[in-house]
Amino acid sequence: MTPNLPKTTGRRRTTRVLAASLALSATTFGVAGCDSAAAGTLEGSRLELPVAGGTAVVDTASLAVSAHTDDGQQLVLSAAADGGLGAPGPVTRTADGARWSYPAKGLKVTASSEHGRLRIKMRADRDGAVNWPVTGTDRAASAVQLPRGEGLDIPVRDGFWNRSAEKGGLAGGTVDVGSELALPLWGYSMGRAGVSYLTPTDTGTSLRFASTEGRLRATAAHAFDAGEDTRDYDVSFSLTDGNPVAPAADYRSYLSQHGQLGSLRKKIRKNPANAKLLGAFHAYVWGDARTASGVEKLKQLGVDRMWLGYDSGPGPMNAQAVRAAKKAGYLVGPYDTFANGQDPKSADSPTSVWPGRVYPDFCVRKADGTPETGFGNRGCYLSSRAFEKAEPTKHYLADRTRTMVANGADSYFLDVDATGELFRDHGKGHQMTKAGDRAMRLARMQRLSKNLVLGSEAAQAWANKAVAYNHGSGTPVADGLWKLERDKKTWGGYMPEKAPGAFFKPVKLSAELATAMYDPKYRVPLYETALHSSLVNAERWELSYEKLPAQKTTRALLAMLYNTPLNYVLDGPTIAKNGPELAALQKYFSPLHRAAGTEKMTSFRWLTGDRTVQRTVFGNGKLTVTANFGSKPQAGLPGGCVDAKLSGDKQPRRLCPAQLSG
């Protein structure tokens, strides 16, 4: 397993329960059928359109967007487009809104009311760019929501995040929506209300942050590029109740309305082995842990569910070990990747070796004809289109998979396929856009998922129907992590073979990284709000539970609060040393996840002004979890502890993770 490192890469009031945000399907979207009222009104350049919770106002001269809510608030949803658009053409009314153009930019624009949202679509007739929407300019804006990994809610005046991107903050930094965010959205809270911005045309879209008078603003930019097939730009605005996870609740409803929301229950019906994900922790196993006796030791500790993965190097799990794992009720599967190719004579991983001339003929080619350098600066990235064209006759992928699961494995981890790192390929005979790359990766993942419990790395929302589990989207990765991982002296390398330091060596994060990634006052479950019940989400596989000792309690509380599994690496000695602690944590988690893993997250809120006590609810009250990240007791819950209550419980179940260590 070689890490796929990117080449570049105030106190607020306690928010109410998600009464409005997560009831969107029942309330917000009733607006869609507003017959003639849906067309709104047009006076000069002022276009008013009805949206759930109020009225949106679009200035057709500048694309400034405002709203007045049903309870009387006036909100700025976007300032005028940055850099201007030129004089607009005439505005024409449509059945659900209006259309007009900006001739100087070659843009045709439509605005409409759709499912209670304001939807603005642009179509360009030439290459170019637009900087819009310009968000966070309303003086009432108090916090910005960003789906970096699981999700962040950042007070706009927060000193840490107003620092420059080079110093760990956001100011001056740019985030690629299509490749660096787990969900194609962001949002702002504004007093009693808020706004969600959804950008389904995420390829070619970025989000630039600026600190203006000590306040964070975010401006989206979209590149119109015919070669990249990004001449369309689509943004939907929704009014919310201001809850920090409301943008993700809005997106979940959007996915459902467009037939793009997966269901773990359906995945289980199609392949019953998927049910073994419920209640399971995840672990990559090494050395003696990938033997039948290693599996038996976990079982003897009382671990009733696990997902066990192994790399493709020397000594993968053999058929005997796989049988033992399946007998124990565990899932077991190999790490693989279809994205990397190397010269077979010098390849550093079996997964990079392909038959015939797959390497170099299938290499993704840049515009100048040179190959796109692959993992760890070795070999090249392989074209998903080249594979798809060859598959009907050559069966490269089917043959690879068949070989990898010949030991009886019932799961599969396919690295990078579901991530946002997509490629435009100029290679002769297999040219493709990033959108084409995404579509072909999705097609092959859907084939794999028919017979295997499929997972991938940092799975983005577009892959949620194909994969059943996801390693990576639980981690809000800050750029400094990649620099740390490249420091092999500190982080650890790939030796010894049976327990590589990169996975097993404990590391202390800098204060900056610890804040950016794991300070609970900034963490919010955006990904779980959108996709819990569709797939099982965990942290990155190189960030095992034992890798970051200082963050163990926080990470355990987050996992229980979000109803997501912990991720481990295990060998013989670590099973002996840490196995009892793992077993105690898994014993607590298992019944909670079995009950609620297929339920949606229906509420998230802070119970204290300092955000240290947080509560989630899953399903119709099926599971309620309260975590105290602070050091002082709150309402009888000690600091560093979590209470979970299933609907049939008379008393909550308590876990204090620090009490389990050593």
Side-chain angles (χ1 to χ4, degrees):
M1 290 182 295
T2 305
N4 178 35
L5 302 181
K7 296 174 185 173
T8 57
T9 39
R11 179 174 290 192
R12 187 168 157 231
R13 64 177 177 80
T14 301
T15 308
R16 301 185 316 280
V17 118
L18 271 181
S21 303
L22 291 177
L24 289 171
S25 58
T27 57
T28 299
F29 303 113
V31 176
C34 285
D35 47 62
S36 61
T41 62
L42 176 66
E43 293 184 9
S45 65
R46 180 184 172 92
L47 174 66
E48 291 192 1
L49 291 170
V51 293
T55 302
V57 182
V58 181
D59 181 358
T60 60
S62 68
L63 275 186
V65 183
S66 59
H68 41 267
T69 67
D70 289 341
D71 64 358
Q73 287 192 88
Q74 302 294 318
L75 305 175
V76 177
L77 308 188
S78 173
D82 189 11
L85 296 164
V91 182
T92 302
R93 295 301 308 275
T94 63
D96 56 0
R99 65 175 184 268
W100 66 98
S101 65
Y102 298 106
K105 299 279 282 186
L107 291 175
K108 293 181 179 179
V109 182
T110 63
S112 60
S113 290
E114 186 175 293
H115 294 298
R117 303 182 185 89
L118 168 66
R119 182 183 184 187
I120 296 184
K121 297 186 291 183
M122 300 183 192
R123 172 71 177 171
D125 64 11
R126 69 195 74 161
D127 288 354
V130 64
N131 297 310
W132 177 89
V134 180
T135 67
T137 62
D138 193 308
R139 300 302 296 178
S142 57
V144 58
Q145 291 88 40
L146 186 68
R148 177 189 276 182
E150 181 60 69
L152 300 171
D153 178 272
I154 299 166
V156 296
R157 291 188 177 276
D158 188 89
F160 176 83
W161 294 102
N162 273 273
R163 298 194 302 182
S164 69
E166 291 77 17
K167 295 182 179 180
L170 286 174
T174 299
V175 176
D176 188 302
V177 176
S179 66
E180 296 180 84
L181 296 183
L183 308 170
L185 60 86
W186 71 102
Y188 273 89
S189 297
M190 304 175 183
R192 302 187 309 276
V195 58
S196 162
Y197 305 90
L198 305 184
T199 55
T201 48
D202 54 349
T203 301
T205 303
S206 58
L207 201 57
R208 184 179 73 251
F209 287 90
S211 179
T212 305
E213 298 178 355
R215 297 168 56 87
L216 282 172
R217 295 181 177 180
T219 299
H222 185 80
F224 299 104
D225 186 323
E228 291 284 8
D229 195 22
T230 59
R231 286 277 185 91
D232 291 290
Y233 184 35
D234 194 338
V235 182
S236 287
F237 302 71
S238 288
L239 298 180
T240 74
D241 66 353
N243 186 283
V245 299
D250 180 37
Y251 184 53
R252 181 185 176 92
S253 292
Y254 175 94
L255 290 174
S256 180
Q257 291 154 6
H258 291 81
Q260 297 170 8
L261 181 63
S263 163
L264 194 52
R265 284 194 184 100
K266 289 182 179 178
K267 293 169 186 175
I268 290 169
R269 285 199 296 269
K270 290 179 180 178
N271 179 5
N274 282 306
K276 292 194 284 184
L277 285 168
L278 298 175
F281 278 179
H282 295 227
Y284 276 97
V285 289
W286 304 77
D288 291 343
R290 59 174 64 172
T291 64
S293 62
V295 170
E296 186 58 32
K297 287 176 182 176
L298 283 173
K299 189 67 176 176
Q300 289 172 354
L301 287 167
V303 178
D304 69 347
R305 290 277 175 97
M306 286 292 290
W307 176 92
L308 301 179
Y310 53 91
D311 74 332
S312 58
M317 290 186 81
N318 60 27
Q320 182 185 7
V322 169
R323 283 195 299 272
K326 292 167 80 170
K327 183 180 178 182
Y330 303 169
L331 285 166
V332 59
Y335 164 96
D336 195 9
T337 179
F338 297 163
N340 194 235
Q342 297 179 29
D343 185 336
K345 297 176 183 176
S346 58
D348 58 10
S349 169
T351 58
S352 297
V353 176
W354 295 89
R357 289 187 56 83
V358 168
Y359 178 87
D361 290 0
F362 284 20
C363 288
V364 171
R365 298 283 170 176
K366 302 176 186 176
D368 63 4
T370 59
E372 191 73 52
T373 305
F375 295 3
N377 295 316
R378 301 290 307 278
C380 70
Y381 275 93
L382 298 175
S383 171
S384 61
R385 182 157 193 251
F387 272 125
E388 287 300 286
K389 288 184 69 176
E391 194 62 13
T393 56
K394 297 294 186 180
H395 316 304
Y396 292 126
L397 302 183
D399 289 348
R400 164 69 78 88
T401 304
R402 193 177 301 112
T403 300
M404 296 290 274
V405 299
N407 59 0
D410 54 0
S411 183
Y412 216 77
F413 180 82
L414 189 61
D415 200 11
V416 311
D417 255 36
T419 69
E421 191 174 22
L422 303 166
F423 294 101
R424 181 178 178 187
D425 187 3
H426 296 267
K428 187 176 180 180
H430 48 83
Q431 296 93 333
M432 66 180 178
T433 63
K434 290 180 180 178
D437 190 13
R438 181 182 286 186
M440 280 168 276
R441 292 186 193 199
L442 194 55
R444 67 195 190 191
M445 285 191 287
Q446 287 171 333
R447 290 197 300 268
L448 279 173
S449 68
K450 290 179 181 178
N451 300 304
L452 294 163
V453 178
L454 181 66
S456 190
E457 176 193 4
Q460 293 193 312
W462 54 266
N464 85 89
K465 293 183 75 173
V467 298
Y469 66 93
N470 166 26
H471 292 167
S473 293
T475 308
V477 172
D479 287 346
L481 179 66
W482 308 130
K483 182 179 179 181
L484 177 60
E485 290 192 12
R486 292 187 183 102
D487 177 2
K488 299 304 180 188
K489 184 176 180 181
T490 302
W491 188 261
Y494 290 95
M495 298 299 288
E497 188 176 276
K498 292 187 176 182
F503 302 105
F504 287 87
K505 182 182 179 182
V507 168
K508 182 178 181 180
L509 296 178
S510 66
E512 180 182 281
L513 268 179
T515 297
M517 293 174 62
Y518 291 110
D519 190 325
K521 70 173 175 284
Y522 302 124
R523 294 285 301 262
V524 290
L526 296 177
Y527 195 90
E528 297 315 309
T529 298
L531 296 176
H532 199 275
S533 82
S534 174
L535 52 80
V536 175
N537 183 31
E539 288 217 56
R540 292 186 61 82
W541 44 263
E542 79 272 25
L543 293 175
S544 71
Y545 184 57
E546 300 290 345
K547 182 74 176 178
L548 307 174
Q551 279 72 44
K552 282 180 64 173
T553 293
T554 294
R555 294 172 80 193
L557 295 183
L558 285 168
M560 303 309 157
L561 184 68
Y562 296 171
N563 198 230
T564 56
L566 292 171
N567 214 347
Y568 284 79
V569 290
L570 299 172
D571 66 350
T574 57
I575 290 178
K577 179 184 177 183
N578 303 321
E581 180 186 3
L582 181 160
L585 289 166
Q586 193 272 335
K587 184 178 181 180
Y588 181 86
F589 174 76
S590 186
L592 306 180
H593 195 236
R594 289 190 192 210
T598 57
E599 301 288 337
K600 70 178 181 178
M601 181 182 281
T602 47
S603 175
F604 169 82
R605 57 174 168 159
W606 297 297
L607 301 186
T608 55
D610 63 3
R611 302 185 174 190
T612 58
V613 185
Q614 304 178 13
R615 176 171 290 166
T616 55
V617 180
F618 298 85
N620 188 23
K622 182 165 282 191
L623 172 65
T624 301
V625 187
T626 307
N628 184 353
F629 293 95
S631 57
K632 299 177 181 178
Q634 295 282 351
L637 179 61
C641 297
V642 59
D643 274 354
K645 193 172 183 181
L646 292 170
S647 55
D649 290 347
K650 293 183 178 179
Q651 297 293 329
R653 307 161 185 230
R654 179 162 295 175
L655 175 72
C656 300
Q659 296 177 8
L660 303 175
S661 299

